[in-house]
Amino acid sequence: VLPSAASVKAALTDEARLVREDKLRDELKTLARQQPPRAGQPPTVAPLDTLHQTLLVRFARLGEINLFTGALADALACRPELAERMVLDVSGQQLATALVALAMPPEDLHFVLATFYPDLDERLGGRSRGDVLLASLTPELARERLIGWLEADREDAHRHQPYLGPDRGADPRAPRPVKSAQRSVSTDRKTLRR
């Protein structure tokens, strides 16, 4: 007894499907081996490349704090909220730590800090406050702190809402519209009849 043409075709289709599935499974296994899981990897801090260094200095010179923050987030490969928090630190210590960890050249580092934090340009006994701040930071210490911030940022991804975020809440200081008392027409008619 010979198998029918339909059963032969179905067997070939099943065999082709199994071959495709095996091929796809092998490809997925290869991809999984090539990319280790990112969750266990500590963040890396690479020195600034010339593009990011130029952008940071240019945006500082122009006073474009939002563009500076975006370029800093891109250089750190982190969320913009973390870079925003670093820049919003009023002491300038977090930004100084990040820029020291990124190995920004000293003359650019002094310029950026003095631009955003003018009080760091004040003199204290022959040295500026910025010089004192930078002298207290070593590249190794700054790198360790920055890696800690990057790790904490990964864990704390949804707790900070940026000031300029698209989903920010209403400003509690803004005046609220006054609700006017509305009386219904039926109430007015009742009072007129009495």
Side-chain angles (χ1 to χ4, degrees):
V1 176
L2 293 173
S4 68
S7 64
V8 171
K9 188 175 181 181
L12 289 176
T13 306
D14 287 342
E15 189 176 328
R17 181 179 54 83
L18 290 174
V19 169
R20 279 194 319 263
E21 287 176 359
D22 286 340
K23 184 179 176 184
L24 182 60
R25 189 177 295 113
D26 290 339
E27 287 178 16
L28 288 172
K29 286 180 181 178
T30 303
L31 287 173
R33 275 187 236 118
Q34 288 177 354
Q35 296 180 359
R38 293 190 50 92
Q41 292 180 346
T44 57
V45 178
L48 279 176
D49 58 354
T50 55
L51 173 68
H52 286 104
Q53 179 182 336
T54 304
L55 287 174
L56 290 173
V57 172
R58 176 175 290 171
F59 294 146
R61 181 174 291 121
L62 295 173
E64 292 286 349
I65 193 75
N66 292 332
L67 294 175
F68 180 88
T69 302
L72 180 62
D74 192 46
L76 292 171
C78 70
R79 294 181 318 117
E81 291 84 1
L82 176 63
E84 183 179 307
R85 282 187 280 187
M86 288 179 189
V87 173
L88 287 177
D89 172 37
V90 295
S91 68
Q93 185 169 1
Q94 288 185 13
L95 182 60
T97 302
L99 295 178
V100 167
L102 291 172
M104 181 178 257
E107 60 277 357
D108 291 338
L109 182 58
H110 284 282
F111 173 75
V112 169
L113 290 176
T115 300
F116 290 128
Y117 309 100
D119 58 307
L120 293 180
D121 222 11
E122 293 177 11
R123 292 278 184 203
L124 294 173
R127 295 174 61 183
S128 70
R129 289 177 147 183
D131 292 335
V132 172
L133 174 63
L134 294 175
S136 69
L137 295 171
T138 63
E140 295 80 25
L141 175 67
R143 203 170 298 111
E144 285 177 23
R145 285 183 184 170
L146 184 58
I147 288 173
W149 294 338
L150 292 171
E151 287 175 349
D153 185 53
R154 283 184 182 175
E155 297 168 4
D156 190 31
H158 300 290
R159 292 186 186 170
H160 173 72
Q161 183 177 6
Y163 179 72
L164 297 174
D167 60 341
R168 72 175 196 218
D171 187 358
R173 299 169 294 173
R176 296 183 181 179
V178 178
K179 293 182 181 179
S180 62
Q182 295 180 354
R183 295 175 23 173
S184 67
V185 175
S186 62
T187 307
D188 288 338
R189 287 183 187 160
K190 289 178 184 176
T191 55
L192 291 175
R193 288 182 191 163
R194 291 184 185 174

